[in-house]
């Protein structure tokens, strides 16, 4: 099997399961010998910040000398980004080999796994083959019934920022969404929590009490921002002084506080992580596509924010880093998102919109998005392709201007490719 054949097979699988639950993933893992039972995990759930948090933790654990797996979704450039060991994405050869190994087991099942379930099983086998000491495992969606929740008690269950997203599946209130995400909390694990409304925290407090899982909450009042620029930011956090973080935005400092809280949990469980490991891991973390400056003259920034809560964070970054700038917004969105609220947040901060259609079946067409944005009172131009949108945005911004691309991670991957590779 070639990597192209492997990806064609993975993507040909129906993305929706006919029955919710973990049974298909559990059966497929059992058929290949339950590799997940030979691994240790940090399990990371939440609405926003999961990927950044997982990436910071993986960077710190690598600095500590542990063979570290990282499982995230979606990807920006290549499918292989979804799973890596010690910072190196799975190779085409190994992806093809493991997919070929898993495929006959999946096809022998009475009820075939969904795409995400299949990818999760491939990742588990990959991490097992590389003898990972620990895996930073990002939940795909929700928690209780997400296929990653087949694992036994993780070392730490990390709960990131909770917001309203995927409400048709997870529930239409923060408390209902929190209840679903609390399903990753199990007896034997510790829990690190991103602070939120009292009613949301109460859901996790109850789940921890029922599981007998110690709970540590990040202390956002202990964050002291020091400096910020496009190169990164520095901050204090409680006893931690002069920490460096290349990820931009106040929300990333809150994510870092959750990471430091998780480190405390890991240390309590016996993991050997020095202060220098933490400092070096935070300083050297990479997580592209999140308020990322790609070029200067004109400045071109991309941000993968794709729900109202993400856009609130992006709006704050615009006020903090781009105050007074003339901003050309290049944007595209999935049709199933709360785009009305998203764009109401951003419209007062930009000078004009250019709409494109992201490369995804769920994407809203550029002309439809233009019709949505026109009543907001800013000039709107729809383009036939992402490449045309990038070219027009650069032209309209001019050498002294600024382009901000946002709305969907699927859009950001293509924009990064065009800007960085010229294609």
């Amino acid at each position: 099997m070639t990597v192209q054949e492997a990806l064609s097979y993975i993507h040909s699988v129906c993305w929706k399961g006919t029955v919710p639950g973990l049974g298909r993933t559990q059966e497929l893992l059992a058929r290949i010998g339950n590799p997940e039972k030979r691994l240790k995990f940090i399990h990371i759930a939440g609405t926003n910040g999961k990927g950044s948090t997982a990436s910071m933790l993986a960077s710190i654990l690598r600095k500590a000398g542990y063979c570290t797996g990282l499982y995230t979704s979606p990807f920006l450039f290549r499918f292989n980004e979804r799973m890596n060991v010690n910072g190196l994405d799975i190779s085409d050869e190994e992806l093809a080999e493991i997919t070929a190994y898993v495929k006959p087991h999946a096809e022998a099942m009475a009820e075939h796994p969904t795409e995400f379930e299949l990818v999760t099983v491939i990742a588990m086998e990959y991490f097992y083959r590389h003898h990972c000491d620990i895996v930073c495992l990002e939940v795909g969606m929700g928690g209780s019934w997400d296929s990653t929740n087949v694992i036994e008690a993780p070392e730490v269950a990390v709960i990131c920022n909770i917001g309203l997203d995927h409400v048709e599946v997870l529930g239409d209130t923060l408390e209902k969404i929190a209840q679903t995400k609390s399903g990753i909390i199990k007896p034997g694990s510790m829990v690190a929590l991103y602070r939120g409304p009292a009613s949301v925290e109460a859901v996790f407090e109850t789940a921890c009490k029922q599981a007998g899982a110690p709970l540590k909450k990040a202390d956002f009042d202990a964050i002291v921002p020091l400096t910020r620029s496009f190169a990164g930011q520095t901050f204090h956090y409680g006893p931690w002084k002069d920490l460096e973080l290349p990820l931009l935005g106040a929300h990333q400092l809150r994510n870092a506080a959750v990471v430091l809280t998780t480190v405390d949990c890991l240390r309590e469980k016996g993991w050997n992580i020095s202060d220098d490991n933490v400092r070096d891991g935070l300083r050297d973390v990479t997580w592209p596509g999140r308020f990322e400056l790609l070029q200067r003259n004109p400045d071109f920034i991309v941000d993968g924010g794709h729900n109202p809560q993400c856009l609130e964070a992006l709006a704050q970054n615009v006020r903090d880093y781009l105050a007074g700038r003339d901003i050309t917004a290049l944007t595209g969105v999935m049709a199933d998102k709360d785009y009305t609220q998203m764009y109401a947040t951003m419209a007062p901060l930009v000078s004009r919109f250019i709409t494109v259609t992201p490369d995804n079946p769920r994407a809203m067409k550029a002309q439809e998005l233009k019709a949505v944005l026109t009543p907001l009172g800013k000039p709107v131009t729809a383009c036939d392709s992402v490449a045309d949108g990038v070219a027009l945005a650069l032209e309209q911004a001019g050498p002294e201007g600024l382009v901000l691309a946002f709305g969907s991670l699927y859009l950001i991957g293509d924009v990064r490719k065009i800007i960085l590779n010229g294609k």
Side-chain angles (χ1 to χ4, degrees), residues 294-337:
L294 298 183
Q295 71 166 45
R296 306 303 303 257
N297 303 317
D299 292 343
F300 201 115
I301 294 173
V302 294
D303 188 272
H306 54 274
N307 60 42
Q309 196 175 34
C310 289
L311 269 293
E312 290 289 350
L314 175 58
Q316 188 59 54
N317 279 354
V318 170
R319 289 188 285 267
D320 289 344
Y321 289 86
L322 309 175
R325 298 290 300 272
D326 180 75
I327 299 175
T328 299
L330 175 64
T331 189
V333 70
M334 298 297 106
D336 56 1
K337 295 295 182 181

Side-chain angles (χ1 to χ4, degrees), residues 154 236 356:
H236 300 328
V356 295

Side-chain angles (χ1 to χ4, degrees), residues 10-29:
I10 290 169
H11 296 322
S12 71
V13 176
C14 177
W15 70 274
K16 277 189 177 179
T18 55
V19 179
L22 305 177
R24 291 177 297 272
T25 310
Q26 290 167 333
E27 179 182 345
L28 185 52
L29 285 166

Side-chain angles (χ1 to χ4, degrees), residues 256-273:
V258 174
V259 167
L260 293 166
T261 304
T262 305
V263 168
D264 288 342
C265 295
L266 289 168
R267 285 171 164 176
E268 283 193 29
K269 297 203 61 126
W271 293 84
N272 185 17
I273 305 169

